[in-house]
Amino acid sequence: KRRAREAQREIRWDRLDNTAHLFPVIAGESMSNVYRISVTLTELVDRDLLQQALDMVLPKFDGFNLRLRQGVFWYYFEENGKPAPRVREESAFPCRYIRQNKNHSYMFRVTYYKYRINLEVFHVLTDGMGGINFLKELTYQYLRLAHPKLREKVGDSLNSDTSLNREDSFLKNYKHSSQKGYQTKRAYLLKGEKLPPGEFGVMHGYMKIPELKKVCHAYGVSINEYLVAVYVWSVYTECMHGMPSERPVRVAVPVNLRPYFNSITTKNFFVMVSAEFHPTKEIYTFEEVLKSVSESLRSQISRENLEKLFSYNVSNEKLLAARIVPLFLKNLAMRYVYTTSALANTATVTNIGNISVSEE
């Protein structure tokens, strides 16, 4: 009986995925590595109901019910089990650094403002798709509580499209590789006044999707290619003043790997590719910039190349020599690699893509 009780008290732990190892090393007040995804309702948010929904949903998500621990050789996750973090009305800048000791040891926060529910996640937990998966279920549960008739109709069980899968899809799909796939050559870097640590600048823009699709169709490109090209064009015209440059404009673009490898994991599963435009002469048209961006993205976004990109990193992680190196030395190496790769990109543009929700 005593052994049975001890087994019940055993705390669950989990390894970080390959990408997640980087985020605890580089995160801080000046670069939080916290992202936000929001949902806007047609009715004002009730804080007490949102807290109740979070209290109900969190225990079902092993991937969010975690705290981060530091071992001798690696960081690792440990089951948290504390009460859910408090839902608060938004009163500060978004995407602030999450201090676990002030957040019940959790690595995410939920806030609200009028009609909007905000989920902010430390990237070590999961990527944007994992965050959407959690936020959708939290919103479903909130709406069931806010509308009892809906709750009677659909019940309290998780929605059918909600994933609880915790597979490490990097490990499952990698092939041993020693070929480095990411860029290290320096790119054109933006300069200007910086916001103080902890502050975050946000601009909201809205456009009609059918009209956007019409423009993209006319150019024969995807929405992702078009929007990245518009950003590159903005840098070229406003910052470089349409002049030649020794260094290219290179934009890092995260790619969700799940569709390419038949994965539904809620861990991180993405890689970065680069859209590149190098002005070597004067006066380029937008069409020329779009063509350069589109071709560079299409040449990289294939299952074979994406596999090559993450296989190199996983192969390095699996090396015995790397595994037995103490964590503080790994941290120094990862900071160096990150700084080198950061200087190789002008900016990052993330496109979450199409999001579908249940009709109810």
Side-chain angles (χ1 to χ4, degrees):
K1 288 183 178 179
R2 188 177 71 180
R3 287 181 178 177
R5 287 196 298 269
E6 288 176 354
Q8 289 176 355
R9 291 200 301 268
E10 187 175 327
I11 297 175
R12 177 179 54 84
W13 71 279
D14 194 10
R15 293 182 175 88
L16 276 63
D17 61 76
N18 180 262
T19 300
H21 288 301
L22 175 67
F23 297 116
V25 179
I26 63 174
E29 294 289 351
S30 62
M31 187 170 60
S32 67
N33 284 274
V34 172
Y35 65 83
R36 166 183 287 200
I37 301 173
S38 304
V39 58
T40 304
L41 306 179
T42 56
E43 57 198 44
L44 292 171
V45 175
D46 183 307
R47 180 179 62 181
D48 293 337
L49 289 184
L50 184 56
Q51 183 70 64
Q52 190 177 340
L54 180 60
D55 292 341
M56 295 171 70
V57 168
L58 181 57
K60 301 176 182 178
F61 278 79
D62 290 344
F64 277 76
N65 187 16
L66 295 170
R67 55 185 169 185
L68 188 65
R69 293 293 201 186
Q70 184 172 328
V72 177
F73 300 105
W74 297 104
Y75 288 97
Y76 65 95
F77 291 132
E78 189 176 82
E79 182 181 1
N80 192 327
K82 293 181 181 179
R86 304 311 300 166
V87 170
R88 304 182 190 280
E89 184 175 18
E90 183 175 20
S91 59
F93 291 98
C95 301
R96 290 170 296 120
Y97 182 59
I98 296 177
R99 294 194 173 277
Q100 290 187 74
N101 59 353
K102 296 183 179 180
N103 195 48
H104 291 188
S105 300
Y106 287 101
M107 291 170 282
F108 71 94
R109 66 169 69 97
V110 176
T111 61
Y112 71 96
Y113 183 74
K114 293 185 178 179
Y115 301 88
R116 190 179 68 230
I117 299 172
N118 309 308
L119 173 69
E120 297 189 344
V121 183
F122 183 25
H123 222 315
V124 72
L125 280 183
T126 184
D127 54 22
M129 296 310 296
I132 289 169
N133 181 66
F134 183 80
L135 178 59
K136 284 167 63 175
E137 186 57 49
L138 176 64
T139 307
Y140 292 154
Q141 192 62 252
Y142 170 82
L143 291 173
R144 291 167 185 162
L145 293 172
H147 300 274
K149 289 185 178 179
L150 176 62
R151 191 174 185 183
E152 291 174 9
K153 180 180 178 182
V154 299
D156 284 334
S157 59
L158 294 177
N159 204 62
S160 59
D161 65 352
T162 297
S163 174
L164 298 178
N165 185 288
R166 292 289 292 161
E167 167 190 274
D168 189 330
S169 293
F170 286 118
L171 280 178
K172 179 181 178 181
N173 294 285
Y174 93 103
K175 294 181 180 177
H176 183 74
S177 172
S178 59
Q179 183 179 358
K180 181 170 63 176
Y182 52 84
Q183 286 280 356
T184 55
K185 294 181 180 179
R186 291 190 64 165
Y188 175 81
L189 301 179
L190 301 178
K191 297 178 181 179
E193 185 180 354
K194 293 184 179 181
L195 292 169
E199 294 190 10
F200 203 90
V202 181
M203 291 180 285
H204 293 275
Y206 300 87
M207 61 184 71
K208 296 184 182 298
I209 296 297
E211 293 181 13
L212 177 60
K213 284 184 175 179
K214 190 181 298 182
V215 172
C216 295
H217 181 73
Y219 282 117
V221 297
S222 68
I223 290 177
N224 191 51
E225 291 166 346
Y226 178 75
L227 293 179
V228 173
V230 168
Y231 181 84
V232 172
W233 172 253
S234 302
V235 173
Y236 171 62
T237 55
E238 295 299 317
C239 302
M240 306 171 84
H241 308 292
M243 299 297 290
S245 170
E246 292 182 3
R247 293 177 178 151
V249 180
R250 192 179 295 121
V251 176
V253 180
V255 178
N256 173 27
L257 295 171
R258 293 168 182 81
Y260 297 92
F261 296 92
N262 194 30
S263 170
I264 56 170
T265 185
T266 57
K267 288 190 173 187
N268 285 296
F269 195 39
F270 72 99
V271 294
M272 307 293 284
V273 299
S274 296
E276 186 169 314
F277 167 65
H278 193 174
T280 56
K281 63 180 179 70
E282 292 186 23
I283 308 176
Y284 285 85
T285 64
F286 173 71
E287 287 77 6
E288 288 175 306
V289 173
L290 178 58
K291 183 182 179 190
S292 176
V293 167
S294 176
E295 288 178 350
S296 62
L297 286 175
R298 292 183 187 187
S299 68
Q300 297 170 76
I301 302 179
S302 66
R303 180 188 166 103
E304 293 74 19
N305 187 62
L306 297 173
E307 181 183 86
K308 182 180 72 174
L309 291 175
F310 70 79
S311 289
Y312 172 77
N313 294 332
V314 177
S315 296
N316 284 340
E317 179 191 336
K318 298 286 285 183
L319 289 173
L320 177 62
R323 287 155 59 188
I324 63 175
V325 171
L327 181 60
F328 76 95
L329 292 176
K330 288 192 182 85
N331 289 349
L332 292 174
M334 283 192 280
R335 283 195 194 100
Y336 172 77
V337 170
Y338 173 77
T339 301
T340 303
S341 61
L343 293 174
N345 290 296
T346 307
T348 300
V349 174
T350 299
N351 173 17
I352 292 296
N354 186 38
I355 299 175
S356 60
V357 296
S358 295
E359 187 61 34
E360 294 84 359

Coordinates of all heavy atoms in Angstrom, one line a residue, residues 39-91:
V39 N -8.2 35.7 -29.3 CA -9.4 35.5 -29.9 C -10.4 36.6 -29.5 O -10.4 37.0 -28.3 CB -10.0 34.1 -29.6 CG1 -10.2 33.9 -28.1 CG2 -11.4 33.9 -30.3
T40 N -11.1 37.2 -30.4 CA -12.0 38.3 -30.1 C -13.4 37.8 -30.3 O -13.8 37.3 -31.3 CB -11.8 39.5 -31.1 OG1 -10.4 39.9 -31.0 CG2 -12.7 40.6 -30.7
L41 N -14.2 37.9 -29.2 CA -15.6 37.5 -29.2 C -16.5 38.6 -29.6 O -16.1 39.7 -29.8 CB -15.9 37.0 -27.7 CG -15.0 35.9 -27.1 CD1 -15.5 35.5 -25.7 CD2 -15.0 34.7 -28.0
T42 N -17.8 38.3 -29.6 CA -18.8 39.3 -29.9 C -19.5 39.8 -28.6 O -20.5 40.5 -28.7 CB -19.9 38.8 -30.9 OG1 -20.4 37.6 -30.3 CG2 -19.2 38.4 -32.2
E43 N -19.0 39.4 -27.5 CA -19.6 39.7 -26.2 C -18.4 40.0 -25.2 O -17.3 39.5 -25.4 CB -20.4 38.6 -25.7 CG -19.7 37.3 -25.5 CD -20.6 36.1 -25.4 OE1 -21.6 36.0 -26.2 OE2 -20.4 35.2 -24.6
L44 N -18.7 40.8 -24.2 CA -17.6 41.1 -23.2 C -17.2 39.9 -22.5 O -18.0 39.0 -22.2 CB -18.1 42.2 -22.3 CG -18.4 43.6 -22.9 CD1 -19.1 44.5 -21.8 CD2 -17.0 44.2 -23.3
V45 N -15.9 39.8 -22.1 CA -15.4 38.6 -21.5 C -15.7 38.8 -20.0 O -15.5 39.8 -19.3 CB -13.9 38.5 -21.7 CG1 -13.3 37.3 -20.9 CG2 -13.6 38.3 -23.2
D46 N -16.2 37.7 -19.4 CA -16.4 37.6 -17.9 C -15.2 36.9 -17.3 O -14.9 35.7 -17.6 CB -17.6 36.7 -17.7 CG -18.0 36.6 -16.2 OD1 -17.1 36.3 -15.4 OD2 -19.2 36.9 -15.8
R47 N -14.4 37.6 -16.4 CA -13.2 37.1 -15.9 C -13.4 35.9 -15.1 O -12.6 34.9 -15.2 CB -12.5 38.2 -15.0 CG -11.2 37.7 -14.4 CD -10.6 38.7 -13.5 NE -11.4 39.1 -12.4 CZ -11.0 40.1 -11.5 NH1 -9.9 40.7 -11.6 NH2 -11.8 40.3 -10.5
D48 N -14.4 35.8 -14.2 CA -14.7 34.6 -13.4 C -14.9 33.4 -14.2 O -14.4 32.3 -13.9 CB -15.8 34.9 -12.4 CG -15.5 36.0 -11.4 OD1 -14.3 36.2 -11.2 OD2 -16.4 36.6 -10.9
L49 N -15.7 33.5 -15.3 CA -16.0 32.4 -16.1 C -14.7 32.0 -16.9 O -14.5 30.8 -17.1 CB -17.1 32.7 -17.1 CG -18.5 32.9 -16.6 CD1 -19.5 33.1 -17.7 CD2 -18.9 31.6 -15.8
L50 N -13.9 32.9 -17.3 CA -12.7 32.6 -18.0 C -11.7 31.9 -17.1 O -11.1 30.9 -17.5 CB -12.0 33.9 -18.5 CG -10.7 33.7 -19.4 CD1 -11.0 32.7 -20.6 CD2 -10.2 35.0 -19.9
Q51 N -11.6 32.3 -15.8 CA -10.8 31.6 -14.8 C -11.4 30.2 -14.6 O -10.6 29.2 -14.5 CB -10.8 32.3 -13.5 CG -9.9 31.7 -12.4 CD -8.5 31.9 -12.7 OE1 -8.0 33.0 -12.8 NE2 -7.8 30.7 -12.9
Q52 N -12.7 30.0 -14.5 CA -13.3 28.7 -14.3 C -12.9 27.8 -15.5 O -12.6 26.6 -15.3 CB -14.8 28.9 -14.2 CG -15.5 27.6 -13.7 CD -17.0 27.9 -13.5 OE1 -17.4 29.0 -13.3 NE2 -17.8 26.8 -13.6
A53 N -13.0 28.4 -16.7 CA -12.7 27.6 -17.9 C -11.2 27.1 -17.9 O -10.9 26.0 -18.2 CB -13.0 28.4 -19.2
L54 N -10.3 28.0 -17.5 CA -8.9 27.7 -17.4 C -8.7 26.6 -16.4 O -7.9 25.7 -16.6 CB -8.1 28.9 -17.1 CG -6.6 28.7 -17.0 CD1 -6.0 28.2 -18.3 CD2 -5.9 30.0 -16.6
D55 N -9.3 26.7 -15.2 CA -9.2 25.7 -14.2 C -9.7 24.3 -14.7 O -9.1 23.3 -14.3 CB -10.0 26.1 -13.0 CG -9.5 27.4 -12.3 OD1 -8.3 27.7 -12.5 OD2 -10.2 28.0 -11.5
M56 N -10.6 24.3 -15.6 CA -11.2 23.0 -16.1 C -10.3 22.5 -17.2 O -10.1 21.2 -17.2 CB -12.6 23.3 -16.6 CG -13.6 23.6 -15.5 SD -15.2 24.1 -16.2 CE -15.8 22.5 -16.8
V57 N -9.7 23.3 -18.0 CA -9.0 22.9 -19.2 C -7.5 22.5 -18.9 O -7.0 21.5 -19.3 CB -9.0 24.0 -20.3 CG1 -8.0 23.6 -21.4 CG2 -10.4 24.1 -20.9
L58 N -6.9 23.3 -18.0 CA -5.5 23.1 -17.8 C -5.1 21.7 -17.3 O -4.1 21.1 -17.9 CB -5.0 24.1 -16.7 CG -3.5 24.1 -16.4 CD1 -2.6 24.2 -17.7 CD2 -3.1 25.1 -15.4
P59 N -5.8 21.0 -16.4 CA -5.4 19.7 -16.0 C -5.4 18.6 -17.1 O -4.8 17.6 -17.0 CB -6.4 19.3 -14.9 CG -6.9 20.6 -14.4 CD -6.9 21.5 -15.6
K60 N -6.2 18.9 -18.1 CA -6.3 18.0 -19.3 C -5.1 18.1 -20.3 O -4.9 17.3 -21.1 CB -7.6 18.2 -20.0 CG -8.8 18.0 -19.1 CD -10.1 18.3 -19.8 CE -11.3 18.1 -18.9 NZ -12.6 18.5 -19.6
F61 N -4.4 19.2 -20.1 CA -3.3 19.5 -21.1 C -1.9 19.3 -20.4 O -1.4 20.2 -19.8 CB -3.4 20.9 -21.6 CG -4.4 21.1 -22.7 CD1 -5.7 21.2 -22.5 CD2 -3.9 21.2 -24.1 CE1 -6.6 21.3 -23.5 CE2 -4.8 21.3 -25.1 CZ -6.2 21.4 -24.8
D62 N -1.3 18.1 -20.6 CA 0.0 17.8 -20.0 C 1.0 18.8 -20.5 O 2.0 19.1 -19.8 CB 0.4 16.4 -20.3 CG -0.5 15.4 -19.5 OD1 -1.1 15.7 -18.6 OD2 -0.4 14.2 -19.9
G63 N 0.9 19.3 -21.7 CA 1.9 20.1 -22.3 C 1.9 21.5 -21.8 O 2.8 22.3 -22.1
F64 N 0.8 21.9 -21.0 CA 0.8 23.3 -20.4 C 0.9 23.2 -18.9 O 1.3 24.2 -18.2 CB -0.5 24.0 -20.8 CG -0.4 24.7 -22.1 CD1 -0.5 24.0 -23.3 CD2 -0.2 26.1 -22.2 CE1 -0.4 24.6 -24.6 CE2 -0.1 26.7 -23.5 CZ -0.2 25.9 -24.6
N65 N 0.6 22.0 -18.3 CA 0.6 21.8 -16.9 C 2.1 21.5 -16.5 O 2.3 20.4 -15.9 CB -0.4 20.7 -16.5 CG -0.5 20.6 -15.0 OD1 -0.1 21.4 -14.2 ND2 -1.0 19.4 -14.5
L66 N 3.0 22.4 -16.8 CA 4.4 22.1 -16.6 C 5.2 23.2 -16.0 O 4.7 24.4 -16.1 CB 5.1 21.8 -18.0 CG 4.6 20.5 -18.7 CD1 5.2 20.6 -20.2 CD2 5.0 19.3 -18.0
R67 N 6.3 22.9 -15.4 CA 7.3 24.0 -15.0 C 8.6 23.5 -15.5 O 8.9 22.4 -15.8 CB 7.3 24.1 -13.5 CG 7.6 22.9 -12.7 CD 7.5 23.2 -11.2 NE 7.5 22.0 -10.4 CZ 7.3 22.0 -9.1 NH1 7.1 23.1 -8.4 NH2 7.3 20.8 -8.4
L68 N 9.5 24.5 -15.7 CA 10.8 24.2 -16.2 C 11.9 24.0 -15.1 O 11.9 24.8 -14.2 CB 11.3 25.4 -17.1 CG 12.5 25.2 -18.0 CD1 12.3 24.1 -19.0 CD2 12.9 26.6 -18.6
R69 N 12.7 23.0 -15.3 CA 13.7 22.6 -14.3 C 15.1 22.6 -15.0 O 15.2 22.4 -16.2 CB 13.5 21.3 -13.7 CG 12.2 21.2 -12.8 CD 12.4 22.1 -11.5 NE 11.5 21.7 -10.5 CZ 11.4 22.4 -9.3 NH1 12.1 23.5 -9.1 NH2 10.5 21.9 -8.4
Q70 N 16.1 22.9 -14.2 CA 17.5 22.9 -14.8 C 18.3 21.7 -14.2 O 18.5 21.6 -13.0 CB 18.2 24.2 -14.4 CG 19.6 24.4 -15.0 CD 20.2 25.8 -14.8 OE1 19.4 26.7 -14.7 NE2 21.5 25.8 -14.6
G71 N 18.7 20.8 -15.1 CA 19.5 19.7 -14.7 C 20.9 19.9 -14.9 O 21.4 21.0 -15.3
V72 N 21.7 18.9 -14.8 CA 23.2 19.0 -14.9 C 23.5 19.1 -16.4 O 24.4 19.9 -16.8 CB 23.9 17.8 -14.3 CG1 25.4 17.9 -14.6 CG2 23.6 17.7 -12.8
F73 N 22.8 18.3 -17.2 CA 23.1 18.3 -18.7 C 22.1 19.0 -19.6 O 22.4 19.4 -20.6 CB 23.3 16.8 -19.1 CG 24.4 16.1 -18.4 CD1 24.1 15.2 -17.4 CD2 25.7 16.3 -18.7 CE1 25.1 14.5 -16.7 CE2 26.7 15.7 -18.0 CZ 26.4 14.7 -17.0
W74 N 20.8 19.0 -19.2 CA 19.8 19.6 -20.0 C 18.7 20.3 -19.1 O 18.6 19.9 -17.9 CB 19.0 18.5 -20.8 CG 19.9 17.8 -21.8 CD1 20.4 16.5 -21.7 CD2 20.3 18.3 -23.1 NE1 21.1 16.2 -22.8 CE2 21.1 17.3 -23.7 CE3 20.2 19.5 -23.8 CZ2 21.7 17.4 -24.9 CZ3 20.8 19.6 -25.0 CH2 21.5 18.6 -25.6
Y75 N 18.0 21.2 -19.6 CA 16.7 21.6 -19.0 C 15.7 20.5 -19.2 O 15.8 19.7 -20.2 CB 16.2 22.9 -19.7 CG 17.0 24.2 -19.3 CD1 18.0 24.6 -20.2 CD2 16.7 24.9 -18.1 CE1 18.7 25.8 -19.9 CE2 17.5 26.0 -17.8 CZ 18.4 26.5 -18.7 OH 19.2 27.6 -18.4
Y76 N 14.7 20.4 -18.3 CA 13.7 19.4 -18.5 C 12.4 20.0 -17.9 O 12.4 20.9 -17.1 CB 14.1 18.1 -17.8 CG 14.2 18.1 -16.3 CD1 13.1 17.8 -15.5 CD2 15.4 18.5 -15.7 CE1 13.3 17.8 -14.1 CE2 15.6 18.5 -14.4 CZ 14.5 18.2 -13.6 OH 14.6 18.2 -12.2
F77 N 11.3 19.4 -18.3 CA 9.9 19.8 -17.8 C 9.6 18.9 -16.6 O 9.9 17.7 -16.6 CB 8.9 19.6 -18.9 CG 9.0 20.6 -20.0 CD1 8.9 20.1 -21.3 CD2 9.1 21.9 -19.8 CE1 9.0 21.0 -22.4 CE2 9.2 22.8 -20.8 CZ 9.1 22.4 -22.1
E78 N 8.8 19.4 -15.7 CA 8.3 18.7 -14.6 C 6.8 19.0 -14.4 O 6.4 20.2 -14.6 CB 9.1 19.0 -13.3 CG 8.8 18.1 -12.1 CD 9.7 18.5 -11.0 OE1 9.3 19.4 -10.2 OE2 10.7 17.8 -10.8
E79 N 6.0 18.1 -14.1 CA 4.6 18.3 -13.9 C 4.4 19.4 -12.8 O 5.1 19.4 -11.8 CB 3.9 17.0 -13.4 CG 2.4 17.2 -13.2 CD 1.8 15.9 -12.7 OE1 2.5 14.9 -12.5 OE2 0.6 15.9 -12.5
N80 N 3.6 20.4 -13.1 CA 3.4 21.5 -12.1 C 2.4 21.1 -11.0 O 2.8 21.0 -9.9 CB 3.0 22.7 -12.9 CG 3.0 24.0 -12.1 OD1 2.8 24.0 -10.9 ND2 3.3 25.1 -12.7
G81 N 1.1 21.0 -11.4 CA 0.1 20.6 -10.4 C -0.4 21.7 -9.5 O -1.3 21.5 -8.7
K82 N 0.2 22.9 -9.6 CA -0.3 24.0 -8.8 C -1.6 24.6 -9.4 O -1.9 24.3 -10.5 CB 0.8 25.2 -8.7 CG 2.0 24.8 -8.0 CD 3.0 26.0 -8.0 CE 4.3 25.7 -7.2 NZ 5.2 26.8 -7.2
P83 N -2.3 25.4 -8.6 CA -3.5 26.0 -9.2 C -3.1 26.8 -10.5 O -2.0 27.3 -10.6 CB -4.0 26.9 -8.1 CG -3.5 26.3 -6.8 CD -2.2 25.7 -7.2
A84 N -4.1 26.9 -11.4 CA -3.8 27.6 -12.6 C -3.4 29.0 -12.4 O -3.9 29.6 -11.3 CB -5.1 27.5 -13.5
P85 N -2.6 29.7 -13.2 CA -2.3 31.1 -13.0 C -3.6 31.9 -13.1 O -4.6 31.5 -13.7 CB -1.4 31.4 -14.2 CG -1.6 30.3 -15.2 CD -2.0 29.1 -14.4
R86 N -3.5 33.1 -12.4 CA -4.7 33.9 -12.3 C -5.0 34.6 -13.6 O -4.1 35.2 -14.2 CB -4.6 34.9 -11.2 CG -4.2 34.4 -9.8 CD -5.2 33.2 -9.4 NE -6.6 33.6 -9.4 CZ -7.6 32.8 -9.3 NH1 -7.4 31.5 -9.4 NH2 -8.8 33.2 -9.3
V87 N -6.2 34.6 -14.0 CA -6.6 35.4 -15.2 C -6.8 36.8 -14.8 O -7.4 37.1 -13.8 CB -8.0 34.9 -15.7 CG1 -8.6 35.8 -16.8 CG2 -7.8 33.4 -16.3
R88 N -6.1 37.7 -15.5 CA -6.2 39.1 -15.2 C -6.6 40.0 -16.4 O -6.4 39.6 -17.5 CB -4.8 39.6 -14.7 CG -4.3 38.8 -13.5 CD -2.9 39.3 -13.0 NE -2.3 38.4 -12.1 CZ -2.6 38.4 -10.8 NH1 -3.5 39.1 -10.3 NH2 -2.0 37.5 -10.0
E89 N -7.2 41.2 -16.1 CA -7.5 42.1 -17.1 C -6.1 42.7 -17.6 O -5.3 43.0 -16.8 CB -8.4 43.2 -16.7 CG -8.8 44.2 -17.8 CD -9.8 45.2 -17.3 OE1 -9.9 45.4 -16.1 OE2 -10.4 45.8 -18.2
E90 N -6.0 42.8 -18.9 CA -4.7 43.3 -19.5 C -4.5 44.8 -19.0 O -5.3 45.6 -19.2 CB -4.8 43.2 -21.0 CG -3.5 43.6 -21.6 CD -3.5 43.4 -23.1 OE1 -4.6 43.3 -23.7 OE2 -2.4 43.4 -23.7
S91 N -3.2 45.0 -18.5 CA -2.9 46.4 -18.0 C -1.5 46.7 -18.4 O -1.0 47.8 -17.9 CB -3.1 46.4 -16.5 OG -2.3 45.5 -15.9

